[in-house]
Amino acid sequence: MCQGIQEFIHLEFQHCDATGTADWFDIHGKLFRNASGQPAYVLGTSEIITNRVKASQEMVKNNRLKALGEMAAGISHNLNNILMGILGPAQILQSNLTDPDLLEDVDTIYKSGLRARDLVKRLYRGVGNLQEILTPVEVNQTISEALKTTRSRWKDDAEARGITIAVTTQLANNLPSVKGTPSGLHEILLNLIFNAVDAMPQGGSITIATINEANHVTVSITDTGVGMDEQTRSRIFEPFFTTKMNVGTGLGLATVYGILKRWENTITVDSTPGKGTTFTFFLQPWRSSENQSPDGAPVLSAPQSKSLIVEDDETVGRTLPRMLKNQHDITWVNTPSQALNLPNLNQYSAILIDLGLPGMRGDQLAEALKKQNVTAPFILITGWHLDETDPKRAPFDFYLQKPLVSLNEIQTTIAQAIQKKFTS
């Protein structure tokens, strides 16, 4: 019998009905207990708040994504400045070295820096809206680079465990360039090679082949490993799905599938338990009518001229003038106040300004210089990823994205700026 013991309660809970439909409920009321103190009944009101809960959950999710996006943007910006200290000197060395062995080492550094640059872009694109720009990619060359990168796994580590993994290639001659990104294709190959190595704990062989088909380039990677049954094969591209107990995360093949899908390509798998597996993927050839990447564009020459760089990052500030010293007389300052106090600012044919500067953003500095009747065209150099419609790009005539990986692009942009000054 209820003794009138009561207390106010407020509950939110989820309940599933007989059909499996889940709803959230909000209850305000009084909880009555019996003489033993056990709950007896509730007297109050109940409201279905499913939509409100979902909206709140969505807001939390969006806030987390926003915070993640801001963190990724900040990391991308800092890494892009760091990569300038790798890619810039590498290009300087490429222009001055003649020793073929040293040139090969520098080329490895440069290409690794490019892959890091593309990785930073993918990091930001994963939580932002950065569009992936596809360029011509040399398949056979990328395969050779991937084999060098993975050599420690299929040769050194294997031999240390007392097993042998033989790697052979059957690469077609005169393959056309394909549409993709060098880092993306490199990552595809790394994941498939590592997958093949993991499938051969007792050793075996890996064969990589390329074929020039009528409408695509075919790449296949075959191993003589443990193989897969149909149930496993049907799930291998699922994120986090793995049959390996102590190796991997289950993301490698999901990454391969995701990259190829973004490029509108496909991949197939042929596998037999105990006999091995063949992954075959198909790449679209690069069409000559498509826009060429900046690296492949002709260099627009310009007469020797004076240019100003406003950049607070010391690595970039020291590297960029060295890259351009043969073509331009460069003045470098690292603060907006130094730039504003320079004498005769109109002596410069082009002014390159970083966006993130101490005390004043780069776009604000450009506006301030314009108010001083500076006539030189302005070039924005930034590690931030800015859309064309971003208002911070408005005061600038040209835009260069860090890391500045193409000396040709930098020279051409400055040449265009100089032409603009003397023809306007």
Side-chain angles (χ1 to χ4, degrees):
M1 178 176 179
C2 180
Q3 300 297 314
I5 301 173
Q6 57 181 297
E7 58 189 87
F8 289 98
I9 64 168
H10 176 209
L11 297 175
E12 288 186 5
F13 65 93
Q14 192 176 34
H15 173 70
C16 292
D17 60 22
T19 66
T21 302
D23 276 310
W24 281 89
F25 293 85
D26 182 290
I27 291 180
H28 287 267
K30 296 178 181 178
L31 170 66
F32 291 84
R33 300 178 181 272
N34 58 26
S36 301
Q38 300 298 315
Y41 62 90
V42 174
L43 182 63
T45 60
S46 174
E47 178 185 3
I48 298 177
I49 58 169
T50 302
N51 291 338
R52 190 174 77 195
V53 170
K54 286 183 177 179
S56 176
Q57 292 173 340
E58 187 67 22
M59 182 177 68
V60 170
K61 177 183 176 182
N62 289 338
N63 287 338
R64 287 176 177 171
L65 287 174
K66 180 180 178 182
L68 184 60
E70 291 173 351
M71 181 183 72
I75 292 173
S76 297
H77 170 264
N78 292 333
L79 287 177
N80 283 333
N81 278 333
I82 293 171
L83 285 170
M84 272 295 298
I86 298 172
L87 292 164
Q91 291 177 83
I92 295 171
L93 289 172
Q94 285 175 330
S95 301
N96 293 283
L97 289 175
T98 57
D99 185 290
D101 292 333
L102 290 177
L103 279 170
E104 183 178 355
D105 291 337
V106 172
D107 189 58
T108 299
I109 293 171
Y110 182 71
K111 288 177 178 176
S112 296
L114 290 180
R115 288 196 290 270
R117 184 268 321 255
D118 290 345
L119 181 62
V120 171
K121 284 185 177 181
R122 290 204 302 277
L123 166 69
Y124 184 69
R125 186 175 59 248
V127 290
N129 296 311
L130 184 63
Q131 183 180 4
E132 185 174 37
I133 300 176
L134 303 186
T135 61
V137 182
E138 301 300 323
V139 177
N140 288 348
Q141 179 182 334
T142 308
I143 290 173
S144 298
E145 293 170 0
L147 288 176
K148 289 180 182 178
T149 303
T150 58
R151 181 183 174 88
S152 62
R153 282 283 298 275
W154 56 262
K155 183 172 176 58
D156 301 338
D157 291 354
E159 291 177 352
R161 291 185 283 120
I163 65 173
T164 299
I165 296 177
V167 176
T168 59
T169 58
Q170 300 171 2
L171 307 181
N173 294 324
N174 301 318
L175 279 183
S177 300
V178 299
K179 185 192 299 186
T181 65
S183 65
L185 182 55
H186 190 267
E187 188 168 358
I188 289 171
L189 293 166
L190 258 59
N191 280 307
L192 292 177
I193 292 171
F194 287 152
N195 189 77
V197 171
D198 294 337
M200 298 184 294
Q202 305 306 317
S205 65
I206 300 173
T207 302
I208 303 178
T210 58
I211 303 174
N212 185 8
E213 305 282 359
N215 299 313
H216 56 262
V217 171
T218 301
V219 183
S220 63
I221 299 180
T222 301
D223 66 67
T224 58
V226 296
M228 296 175 282
D229 57 26
E230 179 59 28
Q231 182 178 7
T232 301
R233 191 193 65 78
S234 66
R235 298 189 59 194
I236 55 173
F237 295 119
E238 295 178 11
F240 305 109
F241 175 77
T242 180
T243 59
K244 307 167 189 175
M245 296 301 295
N246 301 313
V247 182
T249 62
L251 289 174
L253 293 179
T255 298
V256 168
Y257 181 81
I259 294 172
L260 290 170
K261 185 177 180 181
R262 285 202 311 271
W263 297 351
E264 298 181 345
N265 294 319
T266 58
I267 183 169
T268 62
V269 187
D270 182 21
S271 186
T272 303
K275 292 186 177 181
T277 301
T278 297
F279 286 89
T280 304
F281 57 95
F282 309 90
L283 300 169
Q284 300 175 46
W286 180 266
R287 307 296 181 187
S288 58
S289 59
E290 298 180 84
N291 292 329
Q292 179 60 279
S293 63
D295 286 344
V299 182
L300 183 62
S301 61
Q304 189 82 13
S305 62
K306 290 185 176 182
S307 296
L308 172 65
I309 297 176
V310 188
E311 168 62 70
D312 66 319
D313 187 279
E314 185 172 355
T315 298
V316 181
R318 294 190 181 280
T319 300
L320 196 51
R322 289 183 60 213
M323 294 172 68
L324 297 169
K325 66 180 181 180
N326 293 332
Q327 294 81 25
H328 304 282
D329 181 8
I330 301 293
T331 299
W332 166 49
V333 297
N334 55 19
T335 66
S337 60
Q338 288 177 319
L340 289 166
N341 291 317
L342 284 172
N344 190 18
L345 283 165
N346 279 322
Q347 67 180 303
Y348 299 110
S349 300
I351 300 179
L352 293 79
I353 303 177
D354 181 36
L355 182 63
L357 294 171
M360 179 185 291
R361 285 202 320 262
D363 58 316
Q364 295 170 334
L365 173 60
E367 294 286 7
L369 290 171
K370 287 182 178 182
K371 289 180 180 178
Q372 292 187 8
N373 297 318
V374 176
T375 59
F378 295 98
I379 303 172
L380 175 62
I381 52 172
T382 179
W384 299 100
H385 298 280
L386 303 180
D387 294 332
E388 291 185 4
T389 57
D390 193 301
K392 290 187 288 293
R393 290 182 59 167
F396 295 93
D397 303 283
F398 301 93
Y399 174 87
L400 287 171
Q401 176 70 55
K402 295 180 188 174
L404 306 177
V405 300
S406 169
L407 184 56
N408 289 356
E409 182 184 12
I410 303 169
Q411 293 172 349
T412 298
T413 302
I414 293 177
Q416 290 172 337
I418 293 171
Q419 283 187 353
K420 179 179 177 66
K421 175 171 182 175
F422 291 106
T423 58
S424 60

